[in-house]
Amino acid sequence: MDYILRILPQLIDGAGITIQVFLITLVLAVPLGLALALGRISRWPAVSVAVNGYIWLMRGTPLMLQMLFIYFALPFVPGIGIRLPDFPAAIVAFVLNYAAYFAEIFRAGIQSIDRGQYEGAKVLGLTYAQTMRRIVLPQMIRRILPPVSNETITLVKDTSLIYVLAMNDLLRAARGIVQRDFTTSPFVVAAAFYLLMTLLLTWGFQYLEKRYAAHDE
Amino acid sequence: MTNKPMIKASGLHKRFGHNEVLKGVSLEMSKGEVIAVIGPSGSGKSTFLRCLNHLETIDAGRIEIEGDVLADTDAGGQARYAPEAEVRRICRRMGMVFQHFNLFPHMTVLQNIIEAPITVKGMSRDAIIPKAEALLAKVGLSAKRDAYPARLSGGQKQRVAIARALAMEPDIMLFDEPTSALDPELTGEVLRTMRQLAEEHMTMLVVTHEMGFAREVANRVIFMDQGEIVEERPAAEFFASPAHPRSRAFLDNML
């Protein structure tokens, strides 16, 4: 127990990095994903084709590769040539990658809304934007909560990938202690941290699902 | 504004792929008229109604609503629509009631009714809520003000849908088989509400299978078959002695 208390500060620092990557990614990837979803169902073929290609690229290559590319290769790409520090590079990779997954969830949600809802809104005079904002998206949110919850929980654990950029997230912090002290108990403590985070998320999403289900009763 | 027809449709053509669903349908409707559109399924009557308020686009023909041109055929024989904002402005004068209600399930009955007046017309909540409550009283659903649609019977949903359409103060009401999705014992309450509207001289175009309603409430009956208007006459005459063999066959089947 003493030992665990002794290593706790380092693990909490690691968890702090993990939570930062998680929260920033979530806050940025959700709106970007929504924009991509709307682009994917756009009536302009150029937009939907471009978004389709983007989603294929982001879902078709490993997140770790994308992160390594943005950190190590982007500085040498002609015309772009941006050199990002490790933390922003990780965030950019996570946001671009997760937005693609969220986009597909949102698109499926939007397309699951009955055509009659659009027609009902149209004959009342609502514009496309008003129909989306007032009628379609609020109904979509309820339907996509379970897959979004899944994706969000995956994100918590995917944050451990940032170790490849030598950042001290929760898992890398634990591994550092394991190698230093020749004991595996830091792994157990790290696992407990992850479980706690995903438990909180699970509860949060359960609450949201209940709240959005109110109109079905 | 002397006696301009509420709806003037001439020569409407519409095809879905190779299937020609409207083969030159025309209609003139004056203020306060109630017209029932009847005919076998697949006759194009719903499509005709949906073309009038831009839920479907016509391929050729001309549609005028209260004198404003919604669509017209150009020199090349293609239908051209008015600019988008104009289309929206014209179509707002027509309320519509659907077979499947299309209420917004995430909103209460009251929210369903006040949504468009607030979002589209920019009315304040204080101004629209008393009006919405009056409409609910009119369709006999004051008690359901704060209920969600999932809690309502089909007949109640359809009466809310009528109240929702009326809240936008339309000049014309279009009904697309408003009782076809209802259990037989629930059609009466919806038809009563529609009859009440007719008595208040609302201009109504009703696609329906309810022959009783067509006979008793409509001024005029339009019988459609295979994308054409086969017969168009005052309701009493039509039901007493349908002139066309196809109308006769249809009525014999229905009654």
Side-chain angles (χ1 to χ4, degrees), chain A residues 43 114-117 119-128 130 133-135 138-139 214-217, chain B residues 50 53-55 88 92 94 96 98 102-107 115-116 119-120 148 150-151 164-165 168:
Chain A
R43 40 187 164 155
D114 181 54
R115 201 167 59 115
Q117 293 290 304
E119 294 190 346
K122 183 174 174 182
V123 299
L124 288 169
L126 273 74
T127 62
Y128 179 76
Q130 288 168 339
R133 200 177 68 240
R134 303 285 308 165
I135 310 300
Q139 293 184 61
H215 56 257
D216 283 345
E217 283 157 16
Chain B
R50 292 165 56 83
N53 68 346
H54 196 49
L55 286 178
R88 186 171 292 117
R92 248 167 60 183
M94 291 174 278
M96 186 166 192
F98 299 88
N102 297 348
L103 293 181
F104 306 133
H106 60 303
M107 297 180 178
E115 174 60 31
T119 308
V120 177
Y148 284 98
R151 274 285 174 84
R164 181 175 75 171
M168 288 299 280

